[in-house]
Amino acid sequence: DQQVKQNSPSLSVQEGRISILNCDYTNSMFDYFLWYKKYPAEGPTFLISISSIKDKNEDGRFTVFLNKSAKHLSLHIVPSQPGDSAVYFCAASSSGNTGKLIFGQGTTLQVKP
Amino acid sequence: KAGVTQTPRYLIKTRGQQVTLSCSPISGHRSVSWYQQTPGQGLQFLFEYFSETQRNKGNFPGRFSGRQFSNSRSEMNVSTLELGDSALYLCASSLDPSPRETQYFGPGTRLLVL
């Protein structure tokens, strides 16, 4: 039972354009969401997070949107840069489950120069 | 501030052996979580430690165990290794176990079981 789903295994965009990565979840108890970026042979690097009491959080080129009614979140990267090419994971946690993140399967983003 | 460190980075073992992996959290972080990453299952939660106590555990067999020391460093142990245990084992630290505390990951230990 996959509680966090990233339905697009890969995404390719042109440098300078917007990248939109999507994530759906099924567990209504999730109340905190995070995005991580991962390069091969490295651990995930934290990018941005959002609490369920918000619907948007912005940090530089990265913006995360949360639609609780649809149980959907998205990560927007504007403008996309070749260095953004990596695997992006969305993750979720709930107040009743300490220290435990539930991860999606990841989306591989390729930004073409 | 130094990040999360994990040792060793790479390990080759044979079936039936046991292995111990080590994780040193970011200075000041007292919560440590462990994850297993495989191509088929993705990133899966193993367990979480805070104040030397295991506070949460994922759906893994009892062959997987861990502990945390008074300086917050953590070890995980896998006994009677199976081929399917080949994976990247990731450790993450946070200030405390609150779900709203961001977890920061180490580079991982790549375990290959032959």
Side-chain angles (χ1 to χ4, degrees):
Chain A
D1 174 30
Q2 205 169 343
Q3 299 182 67
V4 178
K5 298 180 184 179
Q6 294 175 256
N7 292 317
S8 298
S10 62
L11 174 67
S12 182
V13 300
Q14 208 66 36
E15 181 180 4
R17 306 295 289 269
I18 183 171
S19 294
I20 300 176
L21 297 100
N22 294 302
C23 179
D24 297 297
Y25 62 96
T26 58
N27 190 339
S28 57
M29 298 301 292
F30 289 147
D31 56 8
Y32 194 61
F33 303 89
L34 308 91
W35 284 93
Y36 287 87
K37 176 171 75 172
K38 188 178 185 300
Y39 295 115
E42 294 184 14
T45 301
F46 169 72
L47 277 175
I48 192 168
S49 61
I50 188 167
S51 163
S52 59
I53 61 174
K54 295 185 176 181
D55 54 20
K56 177 183 174 181
N57 189 25
E58 196 170 350
D59 184 1
R61 296 186 299 116
F62 302 93
T63 303
V64 57
F65 295 92
L66 175 62
N67 183 334
K68 288 190 294 294
S69 60
K71 293 191 176 67
H72 177 84
L73 63 155
S74 61
L75 174 68
H76 293 209
I77 306 173
V78 184
S80 301
Q81 300 173 353
D84 296 330
S85 298
V87 180
Y88 288 77
F89 291 94
C90 91
S93 66
S94 59
S95 297
N97 235 331
T98 62
K100 179 178 181 178
L101 292 175
I102 306 295
F103 283 87
Q105 292 294 95
T107 296
T108 300
L109 172 65
Q110 182 186 30
V111 180
K112 297 179 180 178
Chain B
K1 192 183 275 190
V4 178
T5 57
Q6 292 187 246
T7 57
R9 291 294 310 277
Y10 303 93
L11 208 46
I12 300 176
K13 292 285 188 179
T14 56
R15 277 183 303 172
Q17 286 188 309
Q18 76 162 23
V19 67
T20 299
L21 313 180
S22 181
C23 171
S24 292
I26 293 171
S27 177
H29 284 196
R30 297 190 297 154
S31 176
V32 173
S33 295
W34 288 89
Y35 295 83
Q36 180 196 64
Q37 185 183 22
T38 59
Q41 298 297 319
L43 274 150
Q44 292 192 293
F45 172 77
L46 280 157
F47 28 64
E48 182 255 339
Y49 286 86
F50 177 71
S51 293
E52 303 176 62
T53 302
Q54 184 183 94
R55 292 164 52 93
N56 204 351
K57 190 176 191 308
N59 295 325
F60 280 82
R63 299 185 297 107
F64 291 82
S65 63
R67 60 177 176 169
Q68 187 181 34
F69 302 94
S70 58
N71 62 358
S72 296
R73 191 177 70 82
S74 177
E75 289 181 347
M76 69 162 279
N77 183 276
V78 188
S79 62
T80 321
L81 283 165
E82 300 177 359
L83 295 179
D85 296 332
S86 294
L88 179 66
Y89 290 89
L90 292 159
C91 161
S93 77
S94 58
L95 283 169
D96 61 52
S98 165
R100 291 167 190 258
E101 280 295 333
T102 299
Q103 293 185 26
Y104 296 90
F105 284 81
T109 294
R110 174 74 63 183
L111 172 65
L112 177 61
V113 182
L114 301 174

